[in-house]
Amino acid sequence: MTDTIPKVSGDDGGTGHLEELRVDPIGLMRRTRDECGDVGEFRLADIDVVLLTGAEANEVFFRASDDELDQAAAYPFMTPVFGEGVVFDASPEERRRALHNQSLRDKFMRGHAATITAEADRMFARWDDEGEIDLLDFTAELFIYTSTSCLIGPKFREELDVEVAHLFHDLEQGTDAIAFVDPYADIESFRRRDSARAALVARIEAIMAKRRAVAGDPDNPTPASPAPASDERDLVDVLMSIKDEHGVEQFSADIITGMFISMMFAGHHTTSGTAAWVIIELLRNPDVLAAVVAEMDSLADAGGGEVTYQDLREVPWLESSIKEVLRLHPPLILLLRKVVQPLDVEGFTVPPGKLVGTSIAVSNRLEGAFDRPDVFDPSRYIDPRHDDIDNPWNWIPFGAGRHRCVGAAFALMQLKTIFCILLRDWELELAQPADTYRNDHSKMVVQLAQPCRVRYRRRVRSDAPAGEQPGGSSAEEAR
């Protein structure tokens, strides 16, 4: 073993590779692999980052325990987003408890399909028979509603509007890599980040104040109303009900806001960005789109227009298209950990104190792991092929091993539910040249670059029986 880890070129002093990471992060990480192999190092100011790529190195990364590789210590720049004492500013045990949301269990997921269907119907009911949308704006708003309704509760979701999606956008834009040097630097994206978080705290505080009034808080002069029944309670009610020995609420609006941001942050931007790219890739690949639409039509014919949890298990081309989008357009650039104990990987020893990272974008497109890795090909996941299962340490859009994302099943379920409705009832087409759709990689959280517009038109199936045109529950209610 040696601790002399090869370094990528381009470090001319100063802040090292920080500016390159801010401008072309994927280019930097691909160059690190090309020059150094599976284990290579770049520098962000006074922070050394050892990049691991390839199945063998990734396996070491994902199998490591929290005692060996510390996630929280690698992300101090996220504290301004989540808040103090929440997620990366909390202890490992507190983070584990926070991640095991009851709403992500299978018995609750079955009910979520109906909830997501209802939210999608509400959004699509706002469309005219034809028109044009910006994909980033539309999917960001839609998945704010679906995620909050499922993970926090319908009552809380009803307190939200499109402005919340805009606030989350500003939070996500506040992940500039300059935060490695100074997470509170006086730059526009950080000012907008801090303003967005303050606005969310104010919203949560207003919701809590209204609920105290309903509960008849003696310190609140508003006349009391009956407290919510147990089946109407949401996560806000539950958290507000937890009090210390003096009867004081244990969680402030600031802490609850941080909890909700942590629940929503990764899942919201992952699903909204992935949904947008699924639309783009299907419209770029009409043969695949035809196969997916045929699945939607079969479900509609068999189920009378309703989407059930079981239906979501029977859409192989849709699920494979989503998986392929996650491979080609992963929503995160770099996963990081801080080395706590010496880490041995492929003949090198990474000493404590350094950061190690793995790049989803690089590993997901490795030659040798995937045939024609830059080509959109959902058949990779159609029997007899199983490129995701066959490459567990390279196909890593949700991480892997003990660090696989706990919300992966929920994310896939959300996406499949939405598309079962969208492609059943609507036709879409690109509203700008196909090669102009791209991701914005200037922040650590990836977002679709705007403009990203598509046109829509209400779908009329010529083969559908009379009175059974697409429209599902919304059409039924309209009559």
Side-chain angles (χ1 to χ4, degrees):
M1 292 287 178
T2 176
D3 57 4
T4 305
I5 297 169
K7 294 178 171 58
V8 68
S9 63
D11 184 350
D12 299 322
T15 58
H17 301 92
L18 180 61
E19 286 305 311
E20 186 175 357
L21 183 70
R22 296 181 71 195
V23 175
D24 185 15
I26 295 177
L28 170 62
M29 284 175 270
R30 285 178 176 162
R31 188 163 61 83
T32 300
R33 177 175 174 80
D34 289 344
E35 293 182 14
C36 305
D38 288 2
V39 184
E41 186 174 296
F42 57 88
R43 184 172 67 88
L44 306 176
D46 60 350
I47 302 171
D48 294 327
V49 181
V50 177
L51 182 69
L52 308 179
T53 53
E56 184 178 345
N58 283 342
E59 183 174 2
V60 172
F61 180 89
F62 286 115
R63 285 192 182 277
S65 68
D66 291 333
D67 293 331
E68 297 169 299
L69 298 180
D70 187 347
Q71 182 182 32
Y75 292 100
F77 58 88
M78 291 302 293
T79 297
V81 174
F82 296 129
E84 295 185 1
V86 181
V87 190
F88 296 128
D89 198 42
S91 70
E93 179 58 31
E94 288 169 331
R95 294 200 305 275
R96 279 190 289 270
R97 288 201 305 266
L99 286 172
H100 284 82
N101 189 304
Q102 292 286 327
S103 297
L104 299 178
R105 294 189 174 184
D106 185 74
K107 67 178 182 179
F108 292 101
M109 297 263 281
R110 295 176 181 275
H112 292 339
T115 300
I116 294 165
T117 298
E119 291 292 347
D121 280 342
R122 288 174 68 174
M123 284 289 285
F124 295 134
R126 291 159 38 181
W127 285 8
D128 297 322
D129 284 343
E130 59 182 57
E132 189 172 303
I133 58 168
D134 181 278
L135 282 175
L136 180 62
D137 291 341
F138 175 75
T139 57
E141 182 180 3
L142 173 59
F143 284 97
I144 280 288
Y145 300 148
T146 58
S147 297
T148 54
S149 190
C150 292
L151 301 180
I152 300 175
K155 187 166 65 168
F156 178 77
R157 176 265 177 267
E158 294 302 329
E159 302 276 1
L160 307 183
D161 54 32
V162 66
E163 178 61 23
V164 175
H166 296 159
L167 295 175
F168 264 82
H169 174 81
D170 287 345
L171 286 176
E172 291 162 357
Q173 286 291 96
T175 58
D176 190 297
I178 202 171
F180 282 105
V181 176
D182 182 3
Y184 298 95
D186 186 20
I187 61 175
E188 176 63 19
S189 63
F190 287 179
R191 290 193 293 271
R192 292 177 67 89
R193 172 202 68 192
D194 295 343
S195 177
R197 194 182 190 285
L200 286 170
V201 172
R203 276 181 170 256
I204 298 294
E205 180 56 65
I207 291 170
M208 293 171 69
K210 184 163 65 174
R211 297 193 184 187
R212 292 188 196 103
V214 169
D217 190 313
D219 294 325
N220 194 310
T222 306
S225 302
S230 59
D231 59 350
E232 296 175 352
R233 282 160 54 94
D234 61 11
L235 190 53
V236 179
D237 292 319
V238 172
L239 293 173
M240 288 180 65
S241 71
I242 301 173
K243 300 182 180 180
D244 64 19
E245 65 272 19
H246 304 294
V248 177
E249 291 174 3
Q250 187 169 331
F251 300 108
S252 66
D254 185 81
I255 292 294
I256 291 178
T257 301
M259 291 178 177
F260 289 176
I261 291 174
S262 71
M263 291 171 60
M264 302 291 300
F265 198 79
H268 167 257
H269 103 267
T270 298
T271 49
S272 62
T274 300
W277 273 109
V278 169
I279 291 170
I280 294 166
E281 290 292 8
L282 288 179
L283 294 178
R284 285 173 169 174
N285 296 272
D287 290 348
V288 179
L289 175 61
V292 173
V293 171
E295 287 182 340
M296 303 305 99
D297 289 347
S298 295
L299 288 181
D301 292 343
E306 293 186 9
V307 179
T308 68
Y309 188 69
Q310 182 59 37
D311 289 339
L312 303 180
R313 300 173 181 269
E314 300 171 3
V315 285
W317 276 101
L318 173 58
E319 181 169 333
S320 297
S321 297
I322 294 169
K323 287 181 176 181
E324 185 69 338
V325 162
L326 286 164
R327 186 184 69 83
L328 289 174
H329 309 285
L332 292 175
I333 298 171
L334 182 64
L335 303 180
L336 293 169
R337 305 285 188 270
K338 188 169 185 176
V339 180
V340 179
Q341 301 175 14
L343 183 73
D344 294 333
V345 51
E346 295 196 29
F348 299 97
T349 298
V350 185
K354 290 194 176 187
L355 293 186
V356 292
T358 185
S359 173
I360 299 172
V362 172
S363 291
N364 279 1
R365 295 192 185 213
L366 285 181
E367 292 278 359
F370 304 99
D371 181 43
R372 299 185 304 157
D374 295 326
V375 174
F376 178 77
D377 180 13
S379 69
R380 300 177 196 277
Y381 317 101
I382 302 290
D383 282 336
R385 297 177 65 184
H386 301 281
D387 280 19
D388 52 338
I389 298 172
D390 293 340
N391 292 282
W393 306 110
N394 280 325
W395 193 89
I396 52 172
F398 290 116
R402 68 170 70 200
H403 295 293
R404 179 173 167 80
C405 174
V406 297
F410 176 69
L412 287 172
M413 188 268 295
Q414 274 202 97
L415 289 161
K416 288 191 287 185
T417 303
I418 295 297
F419 279 101
C420 282
I421 300 164
L422 174 62
L423 298 178
R424 179 194 69 195
D425 296 352
W426 302 92
E427 295 176 351
L428 302 168
E429 64 179 15
L430 301 177
Q432 59 192 65
D435 61 357
T436 62
Y437 298 92
R438 62 180 183 83
N439 274 329
D440 174 8
H441 289 123
S442 66
K443 304 295 185 289
M444 299 303 290
V445 171
V446 179
Q447 291 183 328
L448 192 61
Q450 292 176 301
C452 45
R453 303 193 67 81
V454 298
R455 288 183 286 271
Y456 66 83
R457 181 172 54 254
R458 189 177 297 277
R459 185 170 174 237
V460 178
R461 283 181 57 196
S462 60
D463 60 333
E468 293 187 17
Q469 289 296 344
S473 58
S474 295
E476 297 268 354
E477 292 166 6
R479 290 198 294 273

